[in-house]
Amino acid sequence: MIAVMDLTFLMLICTLALPLISFLWLCLPVTATRKPYLHVAGILNGLAGFSSLVYFLSSGSRLYRYASWEWIKVKAWNLQFGLVHYPETAFLVFTVSLLSLFVWIYSLAYLGVKEDRHRYFRHLSLFIFGMQWLLVAPGLGQFFMGWELIGIASYLLIGFYRETLDEASAASSAFMHNRVGDLGLLTAVSILLLAGGTADFTALSDLASEGMYAESLLVIAGFGFVIASLAKSAQFPLHAWLPAAMAGPTPISALIHAATLVVSGIVLLLRIKPLLLPIHLDLLYGIAGLTALMAAVMALFQTDLKKLLAWSTISQLGWMIMALSKGGEYASLQHLYAHAYFKSGLFLLAGIFILFAQHAELNEPGSIRGLKPWLLNHKVLRWSGIVLLCALSGFPLTAAFLSKEQILMGFAASHQTWSDPLYWISFLVPLLTAAYAARLYFTVFHTGSEELLLGKTWKATASLWMIPFLLALFSLFPLLSLNPFEGTKNWGPVLGFGFYQAGNPIPASTQWLLISLALTLSGWIVGFLLFRFNLQLPFLNRRYWTEHLQAGLIRPVFAAGRGFSFADRRILDAGIETLSRSVVVLAHVFKLVDRHLIDGGLRLFNKALYHAGPWGATTSEGKLQGYLARTALVLMVLVGLVMMYLD
């Protein structure tokens, strides 16, 4: 009989190895030619999903290091690979595998018979492996490797439709923005490794608590971590890449931009929070609060369905980071899990709507605005959408209602006052969230006419509509709690495994239940009024803030880069090339001088000596008269020369 710990370790190995095997399998040239080879990769990822479920159910409620291997050891520096069970994110391991499986099944129907879809699934497998590798990392070295893997995989997936400029530009934008975060993370890792000789999370926490790091080092490293988390979680001013990434395939938006890659910044903050100083937490609180408000306003007046969901994701991530920075780890993780399921479902539902309408605009005639007649014939899609929008709004009986309540109570318990604008923002964000959810509901589900259906006979296949339906079920309260009105009654004590162990949950109260419900209902009233009077803010629809960020920050940087490139090519390179050519010309001149003047002169002198030798030999005949005659001749010549000089 296999021991529980052995079973858990085995399932964790399978959860990691199977997506990697799937990626390597799809790298083989033969797998690109036949459909059955793709199904083999799908089966491998399905088995990975089952393994992650068994791992989660058999895992314990304490941190446990299953395995550790030494990777690099140089003097006092030590980097290790390993597999660590973190109770607070064990459910995220399962969530990543489950959502990846759902997206895999959905993508088979969404992409159809596209010729190079094996490339899409190959990169998807790489992304799944990178995300799981990151979640079980014992230290920052392995974490950084997973961080880079999901970065390059997301770049390849966003740019899957590489035939058009928009998709290629979106992929490049995501790649460049995230490189800023990578630089911050690499800087922080290097500082801590050089100062303490280790990158292990537990060791780092112990060293920080013992005061082994100088405060100046922690300040610099902390800012590096802050930059990394802001870039990965698309927070201001590194947020513009996420709306642009909506040019990629919709299933990728559901997985990467709602539930996995963008939450890796929050996972990083959870791992290294003991190293952060109050200045870092206050900075996170302020930036995340402003980002949450800005993105909620952008979503409220957005006319592109996918970009509306993208701005919503940015806002929700900012709200989670606000909670995390004020000690609400439990609440932040709860909302992370709830958001992963309902936002993935909304993205996949949007993909179905876009397939039907052939574009993502909400206000154009014949667009997604007015799908009511079509949805009447697709009741599963209709009710899935309603449940998912209720979850986004935070209505009772949904998981988001419980997490929203925990976050609001956490803000109140953090001793914030109403004189703090960010405290107002923490309550305004859920109201605006409900408002744009209501506007989207009335726009899509309560307008339209039968004329829109003329010539449109497309019908969603079961593999398309079934996935949003399942995600809608996962968005209900049993995901987080046995009690629909109490977020602390999770499944851990019942089933005996670790579940949401981070932080301290706050027991629910009737007061906060009513406040949470009032915010949701007020938001829906605002959303209905916006829909009823068709209020629009054109400057927001033209991505005003994003364009001004591009004009004020990114474009000047690119302009400076072009200036430096011009100076490098036209001035430095040209000067160096001119100098090198001058040196070559001088070398040829010296070569000619050496060959024809110096060497020629020496050869001429040698020849003169050669011919003068016999003549000199004839002057040594041994007769005194000859010596005197030649001496007199030389003296006469010298006297003549002197007289010429004196004249």
Side-chain angles (χ1 to χ4, degrees):
M1 182 176 180
I2 300 177
V4 173
M5 195 59 67
D6 295 336
L7 176 63
T8 306
F9 178 59
L10 178 61
M11 292 298 101
L12 183 56
I13 288 289
C14 292
T15 302
L16 282 169
L18 290 172
L20 179 60
I21 295 172
S22 173
F23 166 72
L24 296 175
W25 171 258
L26 292 174
C27 286
L28 298 176
V30 69
T31 59
T33 58
R34 294 186 180 181
K35 191 174 181 180
Y37 293 113
L38 190 60
H39 292 331
V40 172
I43 292 171
L44 290 173
N45 281 283
L47 292 174
F50 175 76
S51 300
S52 67
L53 175 61
V54 177
Y55 156 71
F56 169 59
L57 294 177
S58 62
S59 62
S61 58
R62 64 183 180 88
L63 186 144
Y64 189 84
R65 188 183 297 268
Y66 290 115
S68 182
W69 302 277
E70 190 173 278
W71 175 31
I72 297 175
K73 187 173 184 180
V74 180
K75 295 183 179 180
W77 306 343
N78 188 15
L79 288 178
Q80 293 181 332
F81 283 134
L83 302 177
V84 178
H85 164 64
Y86 298 96
E88 66 272 15
T89 53
F91 187 61
L92 187 56
V93 174
F94 166 67
T95 297
V96 170
S97 292
L98 180 64
L99 292 180
S100 300
L101 179 60
F102 283 170
V103 167
W104 189 289
I105 297 171
Y106 181 96
S107 299
L108 288 172
Y110 186 87
L111 296 177
V113 293
K114 190 173 178 61
E115 291 182 359
D116 56 349
R117 65 177 184 169
H118 69 282
R119 176 168 55 89
Y120 169 93
F121 289 105
R122 180 173 67 240
H123 298 154
L124 180 58
S125 298
L126 177 63
F127 177 85
I128 299 168
F129 168 73
M131 191 67 196
Q132 301 289 31
W133 186 249
L134 175 149
L135 290 175
V136 299
L140 285 168
Q142 181 175 331
F143 189 95
F144 184 74
M145 289 186 62
W147 184 277
E148 289 299 307
L149 280 176
I150 61 176
I152 189 63
S154 65
Y155 164 76
L156 295 171
L157 288 167
I158 294 170
F160 175 68
Y161 297 132
R162 55 190 178 185
E163 297 85 0
T164 61
L165 181 61
D166 288 344
E167 284 74 14
S169 299
S172 299
S173 175
F175 185 81
M176 295 305 297
H177 278 81
N178 279 280
R179 293 295 72 76
V180 177
D182 295 348
L183 180 61
L185 180 57
L186 184 60
T187 301
V189 174
S190 301
I191 290 174
L192 295 175
L193 185 61
L194 291 173
T198 181
D200 184 84
F201 289 123
T202 304
L204 289 173
S205 179
D206 294 340
L207 290 173
S209 62
E210 295 169 3
M212 301 300 292
Y213 291 114
E215 185 175 353
S216 58
L217 291 179
L218 288 179
V219 169
I220 299 173
F223 281 125
F225 288 129
V226 168
I227 293 171
S229 62
L230 293 179
K232 216 67 162 183
S233 295
Q235 300 296 288
F236 182 86
L238 300 171
H239 67 283
W241 68 268
L242 186 55
M246 296 302 103
T250 301
I252 293 307
S253 300
L255 178 65
I256 293 181
H257 305 135
T260 51
L261 178 134
V262 291
V263 304
S264 59
I266 297 178
V267 174
L268 173 64
L269 293 177
L270 282 171
R271 297 284 191 265
I272 54 86
K273 192 176 180 184
L275 302 174
L276 298 180
L277 302 176
I279 186 176
H280 303 130
L281 297 176
D282 291 340
L283 180 63
L284 283 170
Y285 182 61
I287 293 178
L290 294 176
T291 304
L293 178 62
M294 176 197 72
V297 173
M298 293 293 293
L300 192 60
F301 295 99
Q302 192 61 237
T303 60
D304 184 286
L305 177 56
K306 287 184 66 177
K307 290 183 179 177
L308 186 155
L309 296 177
W311 285 111
S312 171
T313 299
I314 295 173
S315 178
Q316 294 295 294
L317 290 169
W319 206 45
M320 294 179 216
I321 294 176
M322 287 182 72
L324 183 62
S325 64
K326 289 301 177 182
E329 290 90 346
Y330 182 89
S332 181
L333 270 176
Q334 274 204 329
H335 199 63
L336 185 152
Y337 294 136
H339 178 267
Y341 286 98
F342 72 69
K343 188 57 66 67
S344 295
L346 285 170
F347 266 113
L348 295 180
L349 198 65
I352 298 175
F353 294 164
I354 293 170
L355 283 176
F356 174 74
Q358 296 301 310
H359 56 77
E361 281 296 320
L362 291 171
N363 290 336
E364 293 184 6
S367 67
I368 295 175
R369 179 187 179 95
L371 288 179
K372 179 182 177 181
W374 182 68
L375 288 171
L376 288 175
N377 299 324
H378 295 77
K379 294 184 178 180
V380 174
L381 283 177
R382 179 180 178 84
W383 284 105
S384 298
I386 291 173
V387 171
L388 291 168
L389 287 174
C390 286
L392 174 61
S393 305
F395 270 109
L397 303 183
T398 64
F401 175 76
L402 300 173
S403 61
K404 182 177 71 171
E405 177 195 17
Q406 283 288 317
I407 289 179
L408 293 175
M409 289 191 296
F411 286 134
S414 63
H415 306 294
Q416 302 295 305
T417 62
W418 291 108
S419 61
D420 182 4
L422 291 171
Y423 191 53
W424 284 89
I425 290 176
S426 65
F427 286 85
L428 185 59
V429 167
L431 188 149
L432 294 175
T433 301
Y436 61 71
R439 176 176 170 267
L440 182 59
Y441 169 78
F442 290 113
T443 301
V444 175
F445 293 91
H446 275 274
T447 57
S449 64
E450 295 292 341
E451 295 178 358
L452 295 176
L453 297 179
L454 296 177
K456 296 184 178 181
T457 59
W458 182 83
K459 184 177 181 180
T461 60
S463 58
L464 286 176
W465 60 258
M466 183 59 69
I467 302 301
F469 172 73
L470 293 175
L471 290 172
L473 294 180
F474 273 100
S475 301
L476 298 176
F477 73 90
L479 176 74
L480 299 180
S481 177
L482 298 170
N483 187 334
F485 301 104
E486 177 58 78
T488 62
K489 304 295 183 181
N490 61 56
W491 292 89
V494 177
L495 299 180
F497 55 83
F499 199 42
Y500 317 136
Q501 298 296 318
N504 298 313
I506 304 174
S509 66
T510 304
Q511 174 188 355
W512 285 103
L513 289 174
L514 294 177
I515 291 175
S516 178
L517 182 59
L519 289 173
T520 301
L521 293 177
S522 300
W524 270 69
I525 293 172
V526 172
F528 173 76
L529 293 176
L530 291 175
F531 165 77
R532 178 66 179 81
F533 296 103
N534 196 26
L535 180 61
Q536 299 289 333
L537 295 181
F539 69 92
L540 291 181
N541 292 337
R542 292 196 300 268
R543 298 171 295 177
Y544 180 83
W545 290 356
T546 301
E547 291 180 358
H548 276 63
L549 175 66
Q550 295 276 351
L553 179 62
I554 297 176
R555 289 175 187 168
V557 171
F558 277 99
R562 287 192 294 269
F564 288 131
S565 176
F566 177 83
D568 179 64
R569 287 184 287 106
R570 301 296 184 183
I571 299 177
L572 294 179
D573 287 354
I576 292 173
E577 186 176 355
T578 302
L579 179 61
S580 63
R581 289 181 177 177
S582 301
V583 171
V584 172
V585 171
L586 287 175
H588 283 292
V589 171
F590 289 143
K591 178 182 177 181
L592 293 174
V593 171
D594 180 67
R595 178 180 297 175
H596 297 288
L597 293 181
I598 298 176
D599 289 352
L602 290 175
R603 286 194 295 270
L604 183 61
F605 181 69
N606 290 336
K607 289 182 180 179
L609 291 178
Y610 176 78
H611 293 291
W615 178 79
T618 59
T619 62
S620 302
E621 71 280 9
K623 295 180 179 181
L624 181 60
Q625 298 89 339
Y627 293 152
L628 292 174
R630 284 189 286 273
T631 301
L633 178 62
V634 171
L635 289 174
M636 291 174 63
V637 171
L638 290 175
V639 171
L641 290 175
V642 170
M643 293 180 66
M644 289 175 61
Y645 176 75
L646 292 176
D647 291 340

